[in-house]
């Protein structure tokens, strides 16, 4: 092989599968790329979302860029997450290289299958500020900008005492005397409904777990962490382990719909609805 190998971090594993995180420093201008992902144990199938994957063998897969992330520049990092599926609880030694892109040698370790010039170890990025530019590469649509604005939408729904770094300048503190402060307002109203909020938080958290590399490449990972923590903190406060009751609603629909104003200016009563094991 004429290209250097980068070690891949296996960050999670379980019976029948494992999760890997790749972060490859870009050392050559690329207009389209093809990466070889190689394992020292058999991997039956692979899930990856930033590329089209082709199985060469149980120990090698070829990943080809999508249209939106074909262009990579020197100094960028190509970072992504993948899921591998095999037999048993395996943690394969894994390496990756991009065809035609030589990298500085840092050790003499060989790849798991076949020979190589050298291996460069790279740790996966863990914060949004240091992610690669795969999501921000030139294209017909700016998905990184769309993702950032989607996160701001949820920040605009915040109830309670807002933090000093609140990114929505026209929002202020509101509903500070709620039985459970915090959380998100619902659908343009000022009620807090537990079920829709939980549904939204679940899907958003799932997207973060499955597509962390997308947030990372768009440099939105820290913003996503901050955004999703708001409803999760609310649910922790909504559950009373002593009385085993859960607050599932704050506010009255009739009173709320009669008020056409900002949540910062609310003066109506905001009753709480709670449930327990005996609720029907």
């Amino acid at each position: 092989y004429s290209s250097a190998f980068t070690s891949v971090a296996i960050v999670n594993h379980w019976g029948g599968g494992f999760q890997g995180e790749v972060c490859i420093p870009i050392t050559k201008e690329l207009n389209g790329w093809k990466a070889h992902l190689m394992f020292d144990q058999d991997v039956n199938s692979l899930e990856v979302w930033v590329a089209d994957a082709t199985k060469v063998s149980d120990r090698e897969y070829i990943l080809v860029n999508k249209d939106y992330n074909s262009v990579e520049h020197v100094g960028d990092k190509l970072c992504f997450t993948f899921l591998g599926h095999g037999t048993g609880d395996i943690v394969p030694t894994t390496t990756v290289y991009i065809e035609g892109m030589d990298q500085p040698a840092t050790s003499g370790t060989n790849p798991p299958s076949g020979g190589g010039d050298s291996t460069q170890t790279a740790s996966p990025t863990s914060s949004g500020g240091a992610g690669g530019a795969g999501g921000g590469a030139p294209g017909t649509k700016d998905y990184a900008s769309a993702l950032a604005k989607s996160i701001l939408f949820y920040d605009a729904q915040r109830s309670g005492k807002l933090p000093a770094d609140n990114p929505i300048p026209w929002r202020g503190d509101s509903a500070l005397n709620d039985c459970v402060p915090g959380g998100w307002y619902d659908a343009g109203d000022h009620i807090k409904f537990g079920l829709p909020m939980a549904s939204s938080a679940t899907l958003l958290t799932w997207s973060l777990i499955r597509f962390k590399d997308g947030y990372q490449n768009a440099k939105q990972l820290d913003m996503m962490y901050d955004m999703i923590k708001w409803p999760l903190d609310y649910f922790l406060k909504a559950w009373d382990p002593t009385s085993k009751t859960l607050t599932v609603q704050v506010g009255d629909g009739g009173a709320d719909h009669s008020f056409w104003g900002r949540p910062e200016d609310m003066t109506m009563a905001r009753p709480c609805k709670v449930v327990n094991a005996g609720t029907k």
Side-chain angles (χ1 to χ4, degrees):
Y1 297 103
S2 62
S3 299
F5 289 79
T6 297
S7 297
V8 174
I10 304 302
V11 298
N12 199 2
H13 60 93
W14 56 89
F18 61 93
Q19 177 184 349
E21 291 191 354
V22 176
C23 217
I24 309 171
I26 302 300
T27 60
K28 177 182 178 180
E29 293 294 314
L30 299 175
N31 187 8
W33 50 266
K34 183 184 292 185
H36 291 247
L37 197 59
M38 308 177 75
F39 307 94
D40 72 341
Q41 299 180 59
D42 289 348
V43 176
N44 300 331
S45 62
L46 193 75
E47 293 181 69
V48 61
W49 300 274
V50 300
D52 296 317
T54 300
K55 184 176 182 179
V56 178
S57 69
D58 283 341
R59 298 197 176 193
E60 182 176 1
Y61 289 77
I62 293 178
L63 311 180
V64 178
N65 62 272
K66 299 283 191 179
D67 289 340
Y68 72 88
N69 64 357
S70 61
V71 177
E72 298 289 344
H73 301 289
V74 174
D76 290 345
K77 289 183 180 180
L78 177 62
C79 301
F80 59 88
T81 296
F82 67 87
L83 299 180
H85 303 283
T87 301
D89 189 350
I90 62 173
V91 186
T93 299
T94 307
T95 59
V96 65
Y97 75 90
I98 294 179
E99 288 186 9
M101 191 183 73
D102 295 328
Q103 298 177 3
T106 58
S107 73
T109 306
N110 289 327
S113 60
D117 297 327
S118 62
T119 297
Q120 176 169 316
T121 300
S123 300
T125 304
S126 61
S127 67
T140 57
K141 297 181 174 63
D142 189 344
Y143 291 103
S145 176
L147 182 60
K149 290 177 173 60
S150 297
I151 291 173
L152 288 176
F153 169 82
Y154 288 96
D155 288 336
Q157 314 310 314
R158 284 175 169 177
S159 176
K161 178 71 175 177
L162 301 187
D165 62 353
N166 167 40
I168 310 297
W170 43 266
R171 282 301 321 279
D173 299 343
S174 61
L176 298 179
N177 296 319
D178 280 356
C179 60
V180 182
W184 287 332
Y185 294 121
D186 180 80
D189 300 327
H190 305 325
I191 306 177
K192 296 188 291 193
F193 290 112
L195 187 58
M197 193 190 311
S199 176
S200 297
T202 298
L203 288 172
L204 289 164
T205 306
W206 186 17
S207 79
L208 177 58
I209 293 170
R210 292 298 300 272
F211 306 111
K212 179 182 176 182
D213 54 294
Y215 290 97
Q216 198 169 42
N217 289 343
K219 297 180 174 59
Q220 293 297 313
L221 186 58
D222 285 343
M223 284 66 87
M224 181 59 177
Y225 283 148
D226 185 63
M227 179 267 278
I228 200 60
K229 186 176 183 294
W230 198 262
L232 299 182
D233 285 344
Y234 171 82
F235 288 124
L236 288 173
K237 291 181 289 186
W239 170 248
D240 185 339
T242 302
S243 62
K244 298 189 183 303
T245 58
L246 178 68
T247 299
V248 296
Q249 179 177 325
V250 181
D252 175 78
D256 183 85
H257 293 166
S258 299
F259 172 70
W260 289 82
R262 303 165 66 242
E264 291 83 354
D265 300 328
M266 290 187 298
T267 59
M268 79 286 283
R270 291 176 58 78
C272 286
K273 181 176 181 180
V274 300
V275 296
N276 56 34
T279 303
K280 297 182 180 179

